[in-house]
Amino acid sequence: MFNKELRYSREFEVRFSEVDIMGVVWHGAYPLYLEDAREGWGHQYGLCYDDFLRNKVYAPIVDMDIRYHRPIFYTTKPRIDITYQYTPAAKIIFDYEIRDTADDALLTSARTIQAFTDQSYELILENPEFYLRWKEIQGLY
Amino acid sequence: MFNKELRYSREFEVRFSEVDIMGVVWHGAYPLYLEDAREGWGHQYGLCYDDFLRNKVYAPIVDMDIRYHRPIFYTTKPRIDITYQYTPAAKIIFDYEIRDTADDALLTSARTIQAFTDQSYELILENPEFYLRWKEIQGLY
Amino acid sequence: MFNKELRYSREFEVRFSEVDIMGVVWHGAYPLYLEDAREGWGHQYGLCYDDFLRNKVYAPIVDMDIRYHRPIFYTTKPRIDITYQYTPAAKIIFDYEIRDTADDALLTSARTIQAFTDQSYELILENPEFYLRWKEIQGLY
Amino acid sequence: MFNKELRYSREFEVRFSEVDIMGVVWHGAYPLYLEDAREGWGHQYGLCYDDFLRNKVYAPIVDMDIRYHRPIFYTTKPRIDITYQYTPAAKIIFDYEIRDTADDALLTSARTIQAFTDQSYELILENPEFYLRWKEIQGLY
């Protein structure tokens, strides 16, 4: 038995202000690309920031790893693919790939890991109830 | 024989605009902290962006990994320590730690890896001459 | 005789990272909204950054005035309207309004003025040829 | 009788990430310069964000006008001067000038106006008590 892949893709525009003096997107702008992708994924699969807030749970990023294989230029038309990585642990793991839509070349790979905390930022060590219910609805084991 | 540690430390202010709706510094603001630290380190050890430019070499970030152990609040007085990691390969590796000056608690750990490219973004596989000379001056082997 | 109105409208999402500790979009995030609007307007009316670059002309912002009437919240669904303001002078003037799509309330008014410069940032005091041709095509006098 | 001038000056560094593809600081980065200046002024004259919070008052920016006379380059060493502008109205007005320390050339002029609101963002039409006390201490009339 395996889990279906929960993936979301979005083509996006490079903003003028994201491009640095060397003509490429400044590496520090990428966390925003990853966050936009998480928000799009959240809307598609019904797990948004609001759901966490309503249940008084935060899901802060505890690890972000970005590998910049090739630069993104102002003229690049990139596409980001974000895929939920199943884990039974009390974490949310996403893998990301940014590709050049012109030739599907892999530009960037990334991973983020989120943990659960209460609103005082104390770590929650079990998966919250609402999150377990969401996993069930998605058919994840 | 071992290499001396090239370390730079700086206490810094949290900007109002870096703090998000949950009262903590947004995770995507940290690359700026790392970059400020690299610039401070570069001035202290005589290896700056201008040196690369003059030699027609870029040193783009190819890997950035940030581990967020504890949040940074608007009231936190953080200190960042950046340490050059020796490698004979054609890369520049830095490790970072952000600590709370109040109790020296470790808030964040990070690593960045830079590679060398020419101005067309083609990878340069040997250490550039000017960088080897800088290593000599620093007494690094 | 009067000039037709060149207007572009776009509904947009508030990003999590744009909202500050008080729960509203930080005032310094708005220039990005204005810039996104200019880029959308440029695509709609055929006058983009690339056209300027090709003609070796820059059109830097020389004045930006933003009036924040009401805050934008994370839950707000805003719409920005950007309207080209005709002038015979060698400038590009845009007026902006950001409205709450829920009730059309006016949240923000803004104006940007761009001048023309060459690539050494020296002011160009007449309208560039390609810009005059664009005005003709648009039927502006 | 006249009011003494409450001015704060700070030399600052241009960050690599603030410089755009044309080699100058992107216009949208300036609000951060103004905010840093307000924070420095606040510390110098004893009127900080915390004072407002403690009194359950917000002082959001209601108007920001920036005039970009000359560009700021990566190599520029700028200085920002922020001067409090006296008004009896329930507002806080600051004027700013950014100058090139190399020749004192005026690069940027700006003005921000802040109003007072309660924590529901309802406008407060009289000067808050703590602010009036601060004005007295400063000898302002």
Side-chain angles (χ1 to χ4, degrees):
Chain A
M1 183 191 299
F2 64 94
N3 284 313
K4 72 183 189 199
E5 187 175 75
L6 301 184
R7 164 181 286 214
Y8 168 81
S9 290
R10 175 212 304 249
E11 291 185 20
F12 63 96
E13 296 281 325
V14 172
R15 279 170 155 165
F16 176 77
S17 56
E18 290 163 350
V19 178
D20 72 17
I21 197 177
M22 302 183 298
V24 298
V25 174
W26 176 59
H27 74 281
Y30 288 58
L32 214 51
Y33 295 159
L34 305 191
E35 184 158 280
D36 284 350
R38 280 194 305 279
E39 290 193 21
W41 182 95
H43 283 127
Q44 181 162 303
Y45 291 102
L47 188 69
C48 299
Y49 174 68
D50 287 343
D51 299 309
F52 288 85
L53 260 199
R54 231 188 352 262
N55 285 279
K56 302 189 183 312
V57 168
Y58 288 155
I61 301 276
V62 293
D63 199 327
M64 176 174 68
D65 185 16
I66 305 177
R67 275 149 285 145
Y68 305 82
H69 309 299
R70 299 159 92 104
I72 296 178
F73 298 95
Y74 183 58
T75 50
T76 306
K77 304 295 172 203
R79 183 188 78 247
I80 184 164
D81 304 316
I82 171 178
T83 312
Y84 174 85
Q85 298 302 318
Y86 174 79
T87 171
K91 305 184 197 185
I92 305 177
I93 303 176
F94 287 111
D95 278 350
Y96 311 75
E97 289 191 346
I98 298 178
R99 288 181 178 275
D100 186 340
T101 55
D103 58 1
D104 225 43
L106 179 63
L107 305 176
T108 319
S109 307
R111 167 168 279 208
T112 56
I113 301 176
Q114 291 163 267
F116 298 107
T117 76
D118 62 21
Q119 293 181 323
S120 311
Y121 286 96
E122 290 304 316
L123 222 54
I124 293 171
L125 299 173
E126 295 90 26
N127 282 292
E129 271 305 311
F130 79 94
Y131 180 64
L132 289 174
R133 278 195 312 268
W134 172 82
K135 277 178 139 179
E136 265 190 60
I137 291 170
Q138 292 298 332
L140 299 168
Y141 299 86
Chain B
M1 179 190 304
F2 64 94
N3 284 314
K4 71 183 187 198
E5 187 176 75
L6 300 183
R7 165 180 284 212
Y8 168 81
S9 291
R10 175 211 307 249
E11 290 184 21
F12 63 96
E13 296 281 327
V14 173
R15 279 171 155 165
F16 176 76
S17 56
E18 289 163 349
V19 177
D20 71 19
I21 196 178
M22 301 185 298
V24 299
V25 174
W26 176 60
H27 74 280
Y30 289 58
L32 214 52
Y33 296 160
L34 307 190
E35 183 158 280
D36 284 351
R38 281 194 302 281
E39 290 192 21
W41 181 95
H43 282 128
Q44 181 161 303
Y45 291 102
L47 189 69
C48 298
Y49 173 68
D50 288 345
D51 300 307
F52 288 85
L53 260 199
R54 229 187 356 259
N55 286 280
K56 301 192 184 310
V57 168
Y58 289 156
I61 302 276
V62 292
D63 199 329
M64 177 174 69
D65 185 16
I66 306 176
R67 276 148 285 143
Y68 306 82
H69 308 300
R70 299 161 92 105
I72 296 177
F73 298 95
Y74 183 57
T75 49
T76 306
K77 304 296 172 204
R79 184 190 77 248
I80 183 163
D81 304 316
I82 170 177
T83 311
Y84 174 85
Q85 298 301 317
Y86 175 78
T87 172
K91 304 186 197 184
I92 305 176
I93 303 176
F94 288 111
D95 278 349
Y96 311 75
E97 288 191 347
I98 298 178
R99 287 180 179 277
D100 186 340
T101 54
D103 59 0
D104 225 42
L106 180 63
L107 305 177
T108 316
S109 307
R111 166 169 282 207
T112 56
I113 300 176
Q114 290 162 266
F116 297 108
T117 76
D118 61 22
Q119 293 181 321
S120 311
Y121 288 97
E122 290 304 317
L123 222 54
I124 293 171
L125 299 174
E126 293 90 27
N127 283 291
E129 272 306 312
F130 80 94
Y131 180 63
L132 289 173
R133 280 196 310 270
W134 172 82
K135 277 177 139 179
E136 265 189 58
I137 290 169
Q138 292 298 333
L140 298 168
Y141 299 88
Chain C
M1 179 191 303
F2 63 94
N3 284 314
K4 71 184 189 196
E5 186 177 75
L6 301 184
R7 164 180 284 214
Y8 169 80
S9 291
R10 177 213 303 250
E11 290 183 21
F12 63 95
E13 297 280 326
V14 172
R15 281 170 153 164
F16 177 77
S17 56
E18 290 162 350
V19 176
D20 71 17
I21 199 177
M22 303 183 299
V24 300
V25 174
W26 175 60
H27 73 280
Y30 288 57
L32 213 51
Y33 296 158
L34 306 191
E35 184 159 278
D36 284 351
R38 280 193 304 280
E39 289 192 22
W41 181 94
H43 282 129
Q44 182 162 304
Y45 291 101
L47 190 68
C48 300
Y49 173 69
D50 288 344
D51 299 308
F52 288 84
L53 259 199
R54 230 187 355 260
N55 286 280
K56 301 190 184 311
V57 168
Y58 289 155
I61 301 275
V62 293
D63 199 329
M64 176 174 70
D65 185 17
I66 305 177
R67 276 148 286 142
Y68 305 82
H69 308 300
R70 298 159 93 103
I72 295 177
F73 298 96
Y74 183 58
T75 49
T76 307
K77 303 296 172 204
R79 184 189 76 248
I80 184 165
D81 303 314
I82 172 179
T83 311
Y84 174 85
Q85 298 302 318
Y86 174 77
T87 171
K91 305 184 198 188
I92 305 177
I93 303 175
F94 288 111
D95 278 349
Y96 312 74
E97 288 191 347
I98 298 178
R99 290 180 177 276
D100 186 342
T101 55
D103 58 3
D104 225 43
L106 180 62
L107 305 177
T108 318
S109 307
R111 168 169 280 210
T112 57
I113 301 177
Q114 291 162 268
F116 298 107
T117 77
D118 63 20
Q119 292 182 322
S120 309
Y121 287 96
E122 289 304 317
L123 223 53
I124 292 172
L125 299 171
E126 294 90 27
N127 282 292
E129 270 306 312
F130 79 95
Y131 180 63
L132 288 173
R133 277 195 314 269
W134 172 82
K135 277 178 139 179
E136 265 188 59
I137 291 170
Q138 292 297 332
L140 298 168
Y141 299 89
Chain D
M1 181 192 302
F2 63 94
N3 283 313
K4 71 184 189 197
E5 188 177 74
L6 301 184
R7 166 181 282 214
Y8 168 81
S9 292
R10 177 214 303 250
E11 292 184 19
F12 62 96
E13 297 278 329
V14 173
R15 279 170 155 165
F16 177 77
S17 56
E18 289 161 350
V19 178
D20 71 18
I21 199 177
M22 301 185 298
V24 300
V25 174
W26 175 58
H27 74 280
Y30 288 58
L32 214 51
Y33 296 157
L34 307 190
E35 183 159 280
D36 284 350
R38 282 194 304 279
E39 290 193 20
W41 181 95
H43 283 127
Q44 180 161 305
Y45 291 103
L47 189 69
C48 299
Y49 174 69
D50 288 343
D51 300 307
F52 288 85
L53 259 200
R54 231 187 354 261
N55 287 278
K56 300 190 185 312
V57 168
Y58 288 157
I61 302 276
V62 293
D63 200 327
M64 176 174 69
D65 185 16
I66 305 177
R67 275 147 285 143
Y68 305 82
H69 307 300
R70 300 160 92 103
I72 296 177
F73 297 95
Y74 183 57
T75 48
T76 307
K77 304 296 173 203
R79 184 189 78 247
I80 185 165
D81 304 316
I82 172 179
T83 311
Y84 174 85
Q85 298 302 318
Y86 175 76
T87 171
K91 304 184 195 186
I92 305 177
I93 302 176
F94 288 112
D95 278 349
Y96 311 75
E97 289 190 346
I98 298 178
R99 289 180 177 275
D100 186 343
T101 54
D103 58 1
D104 224 42
L106 179 63
L107 305 177
T108 317
S109 309
R111 166 169 281 208
T112 57
I113 302 176
Q114 290 163 267
F116 298 106
T117 76
D118 61 22
Q119 292 182 322
S120 309
Y121 287 97
E122 290 304 317
L123 222 53
I124 293 171
L125 299 173
E126 294 90 26
N127 283 291
E129 271 306 311
F130 80 94
Y131 180 63
L132 288 173
R133 280 196 309 272
W134 172 83
K135 278 178 140 180
E136 264 189 61
I137 292 170
Q138 291 298 333
L140 298 169
Y141 298 88

